[in-house]
Amino acid sequence: MIKGLGYANDIITFHYGWNTWFTRYNVNLDKNTWYEFEMRIQNYGGAYNAQFQYKIPNGSQFNQLGGNNGSSHPFGEWSATDPTADPITASGYIKGAEEQGIAGQTVYLKTQNKNQPGFSYTTADTATTDSNGYYSFNTTLNYNDYDFTIDIAPTIGTLTTSDINWFQDRLLSDTVSSKDYWRLDVNNTGSFSVSDIYLMHQKRQGNISSYPGGGQEIWNTNSWQNPTIWPAVAADSDDKTAFTGYGSWSLFDLANGNQTTFYVIRAGHKN
């Protein structure tokens, strides 16, 4: 098989034993173009090897790849990998409410065939954020063959007494911000009280598994598909009305080398 020449199934020739079933003749290749060759072999009760041989125009002998020619191959260069491949890379950060990195969060790189309709992405690689909340992917996957997404699944983590004390000080000093509607108003009443502090301690001690009131424990957006949401929340101009919606957890239609920062606000956490 030689791909990219426009023939049905890319087939140039196929054989059964020493018999030729089908062969195309006068197949022309351009010396300045890379082509992908594929050779398949299936054996049953007979010879168990195959040779890839070719003859240059007006040549008198066949040249065998990996055979008696060694690494000297007339006609052109040969490579076991696609020399025109564009390896998929991506990087970014997961940051908390105070715009500090969140460590230990899992990030997923998922792929599906290029230009495939619908969504059937599967995990191709994972990364874990470092102490700065940074993640990166440097893959051998060819961007020419795959579309990819970046998915996150942030975890709430364990609450700390230092964070709860920080919220208590804010409550006593009546110093609150937009972000506090997501991280301090844990009982989802739309206001702040000692009840929120009490519930945080209950959660930290393991006495409750979730907060009452149906509040969202993890709020999330990103800088790529929702570039206006985080500035509104960070600048104290939103009080829990900016819902993140589509694209906050997964990034689609990405150009190779994408760099994105995810912002995550976790109930009961300062950052």
Side-chain angles (χ1 to χ4, degrees):
M1 302 167 68
I2 305 178
K3 298 185 178 181
L5 295 180
Y7 297 118
N9 299 319
D10 299 316
I11 292 176
I12 303 301
T13 183
F14 55 91
H15 306 261
Y16 174 75
W18 299 105
N19 303 305
T20 301
W21 278 7
F22 174 81
T23 295
R24 296 186 190 279
Y25 294 96
N26 299 316
V27 176
N28 297 310
L29 305 179
D30 179 66
K31 67 178 181 180
N32 296 315
T33 301
W34 283 95
Y35 297 93
E36 181 178 350
F37 287 70
E38 182 175 328
M39 182 172 65
R40 301 177 183 179
I41 180 174
Q42 181 176 351
N43 173 64
Y44 178 77
Y48 50 87
N49 62 69
Q51 298 177 351
F52 189 109
Q53 296 184 344
Y54 66 95
K55 185 167 60 174
I56 62 176
N58 301 319
S60 59
Q61 63 179 7
F62 282 92
N63 303 282
Q64 179 178 324
L65 288 185
N68 52 18
N69 290 88
S71 60
S72 176
H73 302 302
F75 175 67
E77 297 181 59
W78 295 86
S79 173
T81 58
D82 183 355
T84 64
D86 184 13
I88 292 176
T89 62
S91 61
Y93 292 87
I94 296 180
K95 295 185 177 182
E98 296 297 303
E99 299 191 10
Q100 299 171 0
I102 302 177
Q105 299 294 306
T106 302
V107 185
Y108 302 86
L109 186 147
K110 299 182 178 181
T111 62
Q112 70 177 22
N113 292 333
K114 199 72 172 180
N115 300 319
Q116 177 180 325
F119 297 95
S120 56
Y121 290 86
T122 57
T123 300
D125 199 2
T126 61
T128 303
T129 55
D130 64 14
S131 59
N132 296 313
Y134 179 74
Y135 68 87
S136 66
F137 294 96
N138 294 283
T139 76
T140 58
L141 299 169
N142 189 356
Y143 182 67
N144 299 319
D145 295 333
Y146 296 100
D147 291 322
F148 75 97
T149 77
I150 299 296
D151 286 9
I152 66 170
T155 55
I156 191 68
T158 303
L159 274 64
T160 65
T161 53
S162 61
D163 278 3
I164 298 175
N165 290 338
W166 185 82
F167 285 123
Q168 181 173 296
D169 291 341
R170 287 174 74 79
L171 183 62
L172 293 173
S173 63
D174 196 26
T175 303
V176 294
S177 69
S178 289
K179 292 178 284 189
D180 291 324
Y181 283 92
W182 299 98
R183 59 184 175 177
L184 174 52
D185 179 23
V186 297
N187 60 2
N188 201 35
T189 62
S191 61
F192 311 107
S193 70
V194 67
S195 176
D196 295 304
I197 303 300
Y198 171 77
L199 289 171
M200 290 182 195
H201 281 295
Q202 289 290 92
K203 183 81 180 298
R204 186 181 69 85
Q205 294 291 342
N207 295 327
I208 58 174
S209 59
S210 61
Y211 297 111
Q216 185 176 357
E217 292 198 25
I218 299 179
W219 179 95
N220 175 72
T221 188
N222 66 71
S223 62
W224 190 77
Q225 286 175 317
N226 296 309
T228 63
I229 291 180
W230 178 255
V233 174
D236 201 20
S237 59
D238 180 80
D239 59 354
K240 222 169 188 178
T241 59
F243 295 103
T244 56
Y246 171 82
S248 60
W249 307 87
S250 301
L251 302 182
F252 292 97
D253 306 320
L254 298 181
N256 201 12
N258 175 270
Q259 294 180 311
T260 294
T261 297
F262 291 88
Y263 296 97
V264 177
I265 302 179
R266 300 172 294 170
H269 288 267
K270 174 184 175 181
N271 182 59

